[in-house]
């Protein structure tokens, strides 16, 4: 298994890649120069994040990053979720995207924006 | 072509010998250029036009000779050759000093020959024909009443070699001046400012084997003489009073402050290297590589956007969607980098063009004199592998 198997495993057929319904807490980010766009959304039930989803266009790394982030969010409280750092996300990639940090950052920025608007 | 003159090509990237196909962004430097720059700092370093001492005299002579050599390379005279930071600054110099009211440009321009006019002038934009050429009829119509026509000599995305002589006639018949952005044409095609009928020609040293931070604006004396300075400061004056100043002669009027002396001298060494190799030979070599890449990609269903190889410089750019519905240009660039191949991905500082063509980011492989058939074959084999796995 090479790094692309790892990236594609998360990017392709992600169960989190679904339209985000109105009323969810959302955040968006993108990069016009590369055409990347990520929208992250969470459904908060009581104190917990019950479900996370994302919408995406662009590269496989930003897509894999958004998918991994969704997985990290579900089941966490808002306080716990807010503490997730970019390094926490990178750790999940196990060194697979060292030249593509900017791409992963698009997903992470969308995630951070969720808490600005919440 | 003496590939061994380029030390960086010995580099190993991700376990593979570097294949450098990002020449439209910047080129590698031959040892002759590197040595000239280090020799300048070792033996001649001094400010120019400032002193009577030996070092200053020698540095001034070298820097002035650089204007002569670089100017002559494009059919210009030393006093008509202004050193700038790059082609971008050369174009901005014209935008700020000439202040043309109405400018006609094309949709295929690099941002450097688009934004100055969008921001400082009233701008008319010429579209493209199906074969990636500027729409000449549209240009003729729009040139009426224009002060300046500003076009690229060759597109950094499509590779299109633009018919400058034809455009020059249209511009001049309409009473407009012509500026050519030569950043992508001067390094690859024999260029003569007067023969092509350009009033201004902007180009960058680093895209033609020279160092970064040095470029040139070649122009015509009678026009440059009429233009006011671009920047104010040392060296651009002949005399300064409390309430007024008199400007220096050309080209120094446009070179305020201590210039990039070592860069200018390195630029001269780069031009001498190109002249020694022969621009005709370089063009022939690039054309063969481009045909091979263009045809090889076509065979696997990947279409390089823009004209056929006969009418393009040494580059091919294509959309990721031709390779795979899943992948983005950056993913492909990343995969090629794993194999030691350096290509450029993105919109190549030409957002209006990409938008006009309905394209997102593209993958661009661009060649120069030190690239080889074997490298192009390796690139094509790598593309085939990527397409097989993700297509």
């Amino acid at each position: 298994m090479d790094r692309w198997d790892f990236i594609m495993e998360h990017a392709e057929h992600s169960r989190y890649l679904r339209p985000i319904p109105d009323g969810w807490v959302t955040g968006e980010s993108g990069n016009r120069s590369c055409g990347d766009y990520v929208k992250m959304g969470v459904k908060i039930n009581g104190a917990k994040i019950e479900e996370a989803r994302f919408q995406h266009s662009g590269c496989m790394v930003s897509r894999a990053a958004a998918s991994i982030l969704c997985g990290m969010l579900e089941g966490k409280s808002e306080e716990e979720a807010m503490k997730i750092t970019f390094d926490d996300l990178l750790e999940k990639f196990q060194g697979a995207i060292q030249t593509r940090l900017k791409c992963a950052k698009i997903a992470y920025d969308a995630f951070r924006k969720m808490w600005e608007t919440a | 072509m003496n590939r061994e003159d380029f030390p960086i090509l010995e580099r190993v990237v991700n376990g593979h010998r570097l294949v450098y196909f990002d020449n439209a962004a910047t080129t590698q430097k031959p040892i002759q250029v590197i040595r000239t720059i280090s020799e300048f700092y070792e033996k001649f370093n001094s400010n120019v036009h400032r002193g009577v001492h030996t070092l200053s005299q020698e540095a001034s002579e070298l820097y002035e000779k650089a204007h002569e050599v670089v100017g002559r390379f494009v059919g210009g005279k030393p006093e008509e050759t202004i050193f700038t930071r790059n082609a971008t600054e050369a174009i901005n110099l014209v935008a700020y000093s000439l202040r043309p009211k109405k400018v006609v440009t094309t949709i295929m321009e690099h941002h450097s020959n688009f934004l100055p006019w969008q921001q400082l002038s009233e701008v008319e934009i010429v579209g493209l024909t199906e074969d990636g050429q500027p729409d000449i009829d549209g240009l003729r119509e729009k040139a009426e009443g224009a002060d300046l026509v500003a076009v690229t000599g060759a597109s950094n995305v499509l590779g299109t070699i633009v018919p400058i002589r034809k455009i020059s006639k249209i511009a001049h018949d309409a009473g407009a001046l012509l500026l050519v952005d030569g950043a992508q044409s001067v390094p690859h095609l024999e260029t003569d400012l007067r023969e092509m009928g350009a009033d201004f020609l902007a180009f960058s040293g680093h895209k033609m084997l020279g160092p970064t931070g040095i470029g040139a604006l070649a122009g015509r004396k009678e026009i440059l003489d009429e233009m006011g300075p671009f920047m104010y400061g040392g060296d651009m004056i002949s005399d300064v009073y409390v309430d007024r100043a008199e400007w220096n002669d050309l080209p120094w009027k446009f070179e305020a402050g201590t210039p990039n002396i070592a860069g200018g001298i390195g630029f001269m060494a780069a031009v001498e290297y190109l002249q020694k190799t022969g621009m005709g030979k370089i063009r022939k070599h690039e054309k063969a590589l481009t045909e091979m890449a263009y045809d090889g990609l076509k065979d696997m269903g990947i279409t390089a956007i823009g004209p056929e190889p006969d009418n393009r410089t040494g580059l091919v750019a294509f959309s990721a969607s031709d390779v795979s519905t899943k992948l983005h240009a950056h993913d492909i660039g990343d995969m090629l980098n794993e194999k030691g191949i350096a290509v450029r991905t993105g919109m190549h500082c030409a957002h209006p063009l990409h938008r006009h063509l309905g394209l997102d980011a593209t993958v661009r492989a661009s060649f120069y004199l030190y690239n080889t058939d074997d490298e192009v074959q390796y690139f094509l084999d790598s593309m085939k592998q990527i397409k097989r796995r993700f297509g």
Side-chain angles (χ1 to χ4, degrees):
Chain A
M1 181 163 149
D2 71 3
R3 54 188 284 254
W4 287 101
D5 287 321
F6 179 87
I7 292 165
M8 296 309 277
E9 187 184 307
H10 289 279
E12 264 192 297
H13 321 298
S14 169
R15 71 180 180 91
Y16 305 106
L17 180 64
R18 297 169 66 193
I20 299 165
D22 290 342
W24 285 30
V25 178
T26 61
E28 294 170 82
S29 182
N31 181 336
R32 270 305 312 150
S33 301
C34 17
D36 268 296
Y37 168 79
V38 176
K39 181 176 181 181
M40 303 266 306
V42 287
K43 182 182 175 189
I44 298 169
N45 196 348
K48 295 268 183 216
I49 294 173
E50 188 181 284
E51 196 183 340
R53 292 184 187 183
F54 75 100
Q55 291 167 209
H56 172 271
S57 64
C59 74
M60 290 300 109
V61 173
S62 59
R63 186 147 149 175
S67 182
I68 289 172
L69 264 171
C70 284
M72 291 167 81
L73 288 170
E74 283 189 352
K76 283 203 167 62
S77 70
E78 271 188 75
E79 287 69 33
E80 287 167 333
M82 278 186 213
K83 284 184 195 148
I84 296 173
T85 65
F86 187 51
D87 283 344
D88 294 336
L89 170 64
L90 291 185
E91 214 171 279
K92 301 272 182 194
F93 273 102
Q94 301 160 23
I97 56 160
Q98 285 319 300
T99 57
R100 304 285 300 278
L101 301 184
K102 265 176 150 175
C103 309
K105 190 79 178 9
I106 294 167
Y108 186 76
D109 286 346
F111 154 76
R112 290 259 52 116
K113 292 253 171 71
M114 289 199 298
W115 313 117
E116 284 170 22
T117 52
Chain B
M1 309 291 167
N2 293 325
R3 201 179 147 86
E4 58 276 15
D5 286 340
F6 296 81
I8 206 168
L9 300 178
E10 294 298 315
R11 254 204 79 165
V12 170
V13 174
N14 293 323
H16 299 271
R17 171 74 69 86
L18 169 68
V19 172
Y20 188 78
F21 281 174
D22 195 16
N23 293 290
T26 197
T27 58
Q28 300 304 346
K29 320 306 170 198
I31 193 69
Q32 289 83 345
V33 168
I34 299 168
R35 281 205 192 118
T36 300
I37 295 166
S38 82
E39 193 187 39
F40 171 77
Y41 282 121
E42 284 169 26
K43 295 183 186 161
F44 303 103
N45 181 48
S46 177
N47 212 329
V48 290
H49 306 148
R50 301 285 199 284
V52 294
H53 62 81
T54 302
L55 260 54
S56 180
Q57 296 285 326
E58 288 171 351
S60 300
E61 267 172 42
L62 281 168
Y63 188 63
E64 285 173 20
K65 189 176 164 215
H67 284 71
E68 196 182 312
V69 170
V70 172
R72 203 168 47 220
F73 183 64
V74 294
K77 293 174 188 150
E79 68 268 26
E80 298 174 323
T81 308
I82 299 149
F83 279 179
T84 58
R85 273 194 304 142
N86 42 39
T88 299
E89 191 177 82
I91 297 168
N92 272 270
L93 187 161
V94 176
Y96 280 97
S97 294
L98 188 73
R99 285 283 177 170
K101 276 201 184 70
K102 185 185 160 189
V103 178
V104 178
T105 189
T106 80
I107 194 74
M108 72 162 86
E109 303 304 316
H110 186 283
H111 293 160
S112 58
N113 194 30
F114 194 85
L115 285 168
W117 318 122
Q118 182 200 64
Q119 295 298 314
L120 299 171
S121 304
E122 177 199 325
V123 67
E124 291 262 18
I125 299 157
V126 173
L128 301 180
T129 59
E130 261 179 31
D131 58 347
Q133 292 283 352
D135 166 22
I136 294 291
D137 292 334
L139 193 141
R140 191 174 289 114
E141 219 169 273
K142 290 183 163 125
E144 282 307 317
D147 301 299
L148 181 77
V149 173
V151 294
T152 188
S155 161
N156 70 321
V157 180
L158 307 170
T160 313
I161 297 172
V162 175
I164 295 297
R165 248 171 293 178
K166 198 188 265 182
I167 293 176
S168 164
K169 186 165 185 326
I170 295 169
H172 291 152
D173 283 352
L177 295 173
L178 175 68
L179 176 142
V180 176
D181 172 4
Q184 298 293 340
S185 60
V186 172
H188 306 282
L189 307 166
E190 210 158 314
T191 304
D192 188 303
L193 178 76
R194 284 180 170 74
E195 198 187 299
M196 75 205 290
D199 300 299
F200 302 102
L201 175 70
F203 51 110
S204 276
H206 73 97
K207 290 194 200 288
M208 45 194 285
L209 310 181
T212 50
I214 191 81
L217 176 73
R220 292 200 353 238
K221 190 175 182 303
E222 59 272 28
I223 300 167
L224 295 169
D225 268 336
E226 292 299 310
M227 285 160 56
F230 171 43
M231 286 196 279
Y232 300 96
D235 212 28
M236 51 77 66
I237 47 86
S238 63
D239 207 349
V240 179
Y241 305 87
V242 172
D243 58 343
R244 68 196 158 86
E246 286 159 14
W247 313 132
N248 203 343
D249 293 335
L250 287 172
W252 320 118
K253 179 172 90 173
F254 291 107
E255 293 190 22
T258 296
N260 182 357
I261 306 165
I265 294 163
F267 196 179
M268 166 166 66
V271 162
E272 284 170 342
Y273 189 95
L274 290 172
Q275 282 171 324
K276 204 171 143 205
T277 309
M279 290 307 288
K281 196 172 154 195
I282 292 170
R283 168 69 186 144
K284 206 173 149 204
H285 178 71
E286 280 179 23
K287 204 172 154 212
L289 296 180
T290 308
E291 269 167 21
M292 187 179 167
Y294 184 94
D295 293 344
L297 288 170
K298 202 170 183 182
D299 286 347
M300 54 181 116
I302 301 169
T303 310
I305 51 173
E308 298 278 319
D310 268 359
N311 286 320
R312 64 162 69 215
T313 54
L315 67 86
V316 286
F318 54 87
S319 166
S321 60
D322 278 9
V323 182
S324 155
T325 51
K326 300 168 195 167
L327 301 179
H328 183 274
H330 290 340
D331 298 320
I332 296 167
D334 187 352
M335 289 170 192
L336 291 171
N337 182 53
E338 277 183 325
K339 296 168 189 294
I341 304 170
V343 295
R344 173 82 183 264
T345 57
M347 296 208 217
H348 320 293
C349 298
H351 291 193
L353 173 66
H354 276 77
R355 219 162 266 149
H356 179 76
L357 297 172
L359 291 170
D360 233 3
T362 50
V363 180
R364 181 184 71 190
S366 52
F367 316 116
Y368 212 15
L369 53 112
Y370 38 70
N371 292 124
T372 66
D373 291 8
D374 286 348
E375 288 180 320
V376 174
Q377 192 54 55
Y378 176 58
F379 162 72
L380 290 170
D381 291 345
S382 303
M383 286 306 304
K384 221 171 266 173
Q385 273 180 16
I386 293 169
K387 202 168 158 63
R388 205 178 304 133
R389 181 168 170 189
F390 298 95

